[in-house]
Amino acid sequence: MPETHLPNKFKVACVGRAFGPEAQALIRDVVPAEFEISFEIDPGEKCHPLIRESDFILTTAPITEKLIRESPRLRLIHKWGIGVDKIDLAAAEREGVPVAITAGSNAVVVAEHTIMLIIAALRQLSLADRSMREGKWIYTELRPKCRKLSGKTVGILGFGNIGKNVAKRLAGFDVEIIYHDPFRSPPEIEKQFNARFVSFDELMEQSDILTLHCPGGAANHRIINAAAIARMKRGSVLVNAARGDVVDEDAVVAALESGQLLAAGLDAFEPEPLPPTSKLTKLENVVLTPHTAGSVLDNVVNVALHAFNNMLRLARGEEIPASDIVVRPARSRDFAKAS
């Protein structure tokens, strides 16, 4: 049922596929008294009317320049999670609307999912599971395709909150950890996570397993392409729980078919949803998940409260933490007429 507008409350629109019925129930239980909250799961134009009348949005849906201009009340665009590739950041700056993320709030669960993808790819879980369901017992056939994690070199591209949490969770697997990031971590952090900084080329050449945790967008567009994959060890494993556009899908398919890549574990794609015609869906040596690395029910409250606290800070005239702010416009909107 539609919710009735309550005077003196800020309207918050939660839009996108992250906000299913179970998540909605949890979020309603923790929403601050200052907010009136509404939901729309459809990330397309169906959510636009809700956004246009809201003061804050918490989103996994695309936010365009046109939509920002048509939403005069909008005080803050808050991403559910950290990826802002679907938000027109330049338009938000021009329109005076800040953009924030929930930095670190889903780092643990994405790291857990990453470890799952690494092991599932190494042990050919998709093939094993599918063959069992088809009534086949391929014990002998699986052995040549499977590899252990122990003793391998794991390369991490992007050593932010998620990359560090992946390194932390690899501690018990007897692996060597190397990483590359535009900003090298201090020596004490490298020691804490037992991780060694290398160049991008060294990361490609030395990794038995390469896991991606870098932002999407122009800076990293298809950074894992045919040339990069060719530098990798033959029979290595690629895991992507970052963004689909950081990988050249055709190059990955070719490498999986040729044996340059033993296997892959992929949670992010370009476009999304992954089309059923994608060649990835036909390959036995790929584990596919529908961009769900950060999607666990018992982390919903953690992410929601993180975002709500930032909204409250802005409403009270306080600063949003630097780790969360993506766009801080030089000139903010005048909300006198919209209030």
Side-chain angles (χ1 to χ4, degrees):
M1 294 179 63
E3 299 183 49
T4 305
H5 177 62
L6 302 177
N8 304 318
K9 290 207 173 191
F10 292 105
K11 298 192 73 172
V12 179
C14 298
V15 294
R17 293 192 178 96
F19 303 105
E22 297 81 5
Q24 290 182 27
L26 291 171
I27 293 170
R28 288 184 191 278
D29 284 343
V30 298
V31 64
E34 294 89 342
F35 296 154
E36 173 195 344
I37 195 165
S38 300
F39 297 92
E40 177 52 66
I41 298 175
D42 191 325
E45 293 187 3
K46 190 174 179 181
C47 71
H48 292 184
L50 190 61
I51 292 173
R52 291 188 186 105
E53 62 180 23
S54 296
D55 301 289
F56 300 100
I57 55 173
L58 184 54
T59 181
T60 62
I63 305 298
T64 64
E65 179 174 18
K66 181 174 183 291
L67 186 55
I68 297 171
R69 288 202 315 266
E70 293 175 351
S71 307
R73 297 172 57 108
L74 192 56
R75 297 168 181 264
L76 176 67
I77 300 168
H78 210 302
K79 178 64 170 61
W80 178 275
I82 60 172
V84 293
D85 47 300
K86 296 179 182 178
I87 300 171
D88 191 329
L89 302 180
E93 168 69 40
R94 288 192 297 271
E95 292 294 318
V97 181
V99 179
I101 59 175
T102 54
S105 64
N106 64 357
V108 169
V109 296
V110 174
E112 291 177 348
H113 194 94
T114 298
I115 301 299
M116 178 193 74
L117 288 176
I118 290 172
I119 296 174
L122 285 167
R123 302 303 294 267
Q124 302 287 330
L125 183 62
S126 288
L127 174 58
D129 181 77
R130 188 182 311 114
S131 64
M132 289 287 289
R133 295 175 188 275
E134 293 172 352
K136 301 174 184 176
W137 191 266
I138 59 169
Y139 178 94
T140 302
E141 294 88 337
L142 271 176
R143 185 186 296 272
K145 302 175 185 291
C146 294
R147 303 290 185 273
K148 65 179 183 178
L149 177 54
S150 175
K152 299 296 191 294
T153 297
V154 180
I156 302 174
L157 181 59
F159 207 58
N161 287 318
I162 296 173
K164 291 183 179 70
N165 270 280
V166 170
K168 180 179 180 181
R169 279 150 186 80
L170 286 168
F173 285 98
D174 190 24
V175 297
E176 180 183 4
I177 301 170
I178 58 177
Y179 79 95
H180 180 75
D181 191 282
F183 304 98
R184 181 173 181 175
S185 294
E188 60 270 21
I189 297 297
E190 294 183 348
K191 183 177 180 180
Q192 177 186 346
F193 293 101
N194 194 30
R196 176 168 58 89
F197 178 83
V198 296
S199 69
F200 177 79
D201 286 344
E202 289 171 327
L203 189 78
M204 296 299 106
E205 294 164 0
Q206 298 178 22
S207 299
D208 297 301
I209 298 120
L210 176 65
T211 180
L212 310 179
H213 303 288
C214 52
N220 294 318
H221 184 69
R222 296 191 175 181
I223 190 171
I224 305 302
N225 51 31
I229 294 172
R231 298 185 73 95
M232 297 174 67
K233 297 178 182 179
R234 184 168 179 82
S236 52
V237 169
L238 175 68
V239 170
N240 183 15
R243 284 293 181 269
D245 66 347
V246 304
V247 167
D248 182 336
E249 182 180 309
D250 290 338
V252 171
V253 168
L256 288 164
E257 291 176 335
S258 71
Q260 174 64 11
L261 289 176
L262 173 77
L266 306 176
D267 184 59
F269 310 92
E270 186 186 29
E272 292 183 350
L274 181 69
T277 55
S278 168
K279 292 181 180 179
L280 290 170
T281 65
K282 310 299 188 296
L283 297 175
E284 292 183 335
N285 52 344
V286 184
V287 181
L288 304 173
T289 55
H291 208 147
T292 53
S295 299
V296 296
L297 193 62
D298 48 359
N299 197 49
V300 166
V301 168
N302 182 41
V303 180
L305 287 176
H306 190 130
F308 289 149
N309 285 335
N310 281 340
M311 294 175 194
L312 286 172
R313 288 187 182 99
L314 192 68
R316 294 166 181 165
E318 301 169 0
E319 292 287 329
I320 292 174
S323 58
D324 282 357
I325 198 73
V326 176
V327 173
R328 194 190 303 275
R331 185 173 64 182
S332 297
R333 279 181 164 177
D334 180 6
F335 295 104
K337 296 181 180 179
S339 299

